[in-house]
Amino acid sequence: MSAPTVNRARLSGAAPVYLSRPAPGIIAALFCGYLCVGLPLPVIPLFIHDTLGFNNLVVGLAIGVQFLATVLTRGYAGRLTDQHGGKRSTLQGAVVCALAGLMYLIAAMPGLSPMISLAVVVLGRLVAGFGESQFVTGCVSWSIASVGPQRAGMSMSWTGIAMFAALAVGAPIGMLLYQAYGLQAAMIACIAAPLLAGGIASFEMSYTNPAGERLPFHKVIWQIWREGLGLMLQGVGLSGLTAFASLYFAARNWGHAGLVMTAFGIGFIFIRLVLGSLPDRMSGYRVALWSLVVEAIGQAMIWAAPHEVVALAGALVTGLGCALVFPALGVEVLKRVPPANRGSAMGAFVASSTSPTAYRGPSPVSSPVSSTTLPSICSALSALCSEPGSS
């Protein structure tokens, strides 16, 4: 589909022409831009703890503050997307994320006191959260707008793959740059990645949300709070794995803790590639319910695992279960708000998936049992919140 075709359809008032799959440029931009989230994750904690000399609590707070900023600015990002389109929000967010990388680079400059460097890092994390909020909300809404609401589930599956892949690739690249060339090299990558994303996005067709009545953001939240709560509780399973898997494996004298997220990622990406459009063909609530059952089974396998291989299999099953919860509930979110509010709805909904990550940073829970039973219970509660009858 060419740009003139889309423009002629809009000018003539005809029904919009949608793509059969999300625009590749949007997905590529999301992957590149979200690298700025993955790249500093293993690096900033080492810089604050080893170089600046602060304790683990300060490290956790400095990391978690970005995700708090992301959650608190989703309302603005949603309004920006609703009023000006996902492309505008994406480009604006990419610039802000690059600015955050510049602040990280400044914090690493020699001659600054530890306290000043920490303050600059925290400010950079806040700026990064603001930029991520705009960038992700814009990309997710833009991708949905490119395929239409009838393929929203498939669109969210692909945007989720791009974000998960960026985290999986970004973290080891950031660590490699840090170990080989120092913090400055890793932070330069944090600047370059969102700028590259902005360059890719600038060449992609702009798809805007439909015009019409727009609800205030607090009313949008009220319309989708059940779906958001379900997504937030479901996300505790993944947060538990990333935060406590190494402790759990160490307590059992097992090696290969690094394979936990690999096993999770295999299951997650496999289901999204094979069944990513399933929420578009049947009830999203039903897909989410059964996905949560599978996730809870995976968490129970990890909790009761007598051997390492069973725990890794549990991580794989957890990934299988987690994969479709976001697109399945996201499809139902779009049905609950006016078309003109899709950007705000996606902003609020995506914020729900960020919340467990924010709380994970300085969490006092360190018991291997707690790290697995808590996600299992939350997954069960999430299933109840997501039943079709509860909507």
Side-chain angles (χ1 to χ4, degrees), residues 76-101:
Y76 167 77
R79 290 193 301 272
L80 177 67
T81 302
D82 286 337
Q83 295 172 6
H84 301 286
K87 183 174 182 177
R88 164 73 178 276
S89 183
T90 298
L91 294 174
Q92 189 168 305
V95 172
V96 176
C97 287
L99 178 61

Side-chain angles (χ1 to χ4, degrees), residues 365-377:
V365 180
S366 59
S367 164
V369 175
S370 298
S371 71
T372 51
T373 55
L374 177 61
S376 297
I377 295 171

Side-chain angles (χ1 to χ4, degrees), residues 8 45 63 76 99-100 108 123 141 145 191 197 204 233 265 280 341 358-359 383-384:
R8 282 198 298 270
I63 295 300
Y76 167 77
L99 178 61
L123 181 60
S141 301
I191 299 173
E204 192 57 59
L233 294 176
D280 296 324
N341 276 113
Y359 300 142
L384 294 176

Side-chain angles (χ1 to χ4, degrees), residues 36-47:
C36 71
V37 177
L39 285 166
L41 271 182
V43 174
I44 295 297
L46 292 176
F47 175 69

Side-chain angles (χ1 to χ4, degrees), residues 312-368:
L312 292 174
L316 174 68
V317 174
T318 300
L320 295 174
C322 285
L324 293 184
V325 176
F326 177 79
L329 293 179
V331 166
E332 300 300 331
V333 162
L334 295 179
K335 296 176 183 177
R336 299 184 67 87
V337 297
N341 276 113
R342 287 172 184 162
S344 295
M346 282 294 100
F349 184 61
V350 174
S352 302
S353 67
T354 309
S355 299
T357 311
Y359 300 142
R360 187 184 70 206
S363 173
V365 180
S366 59
S367 164

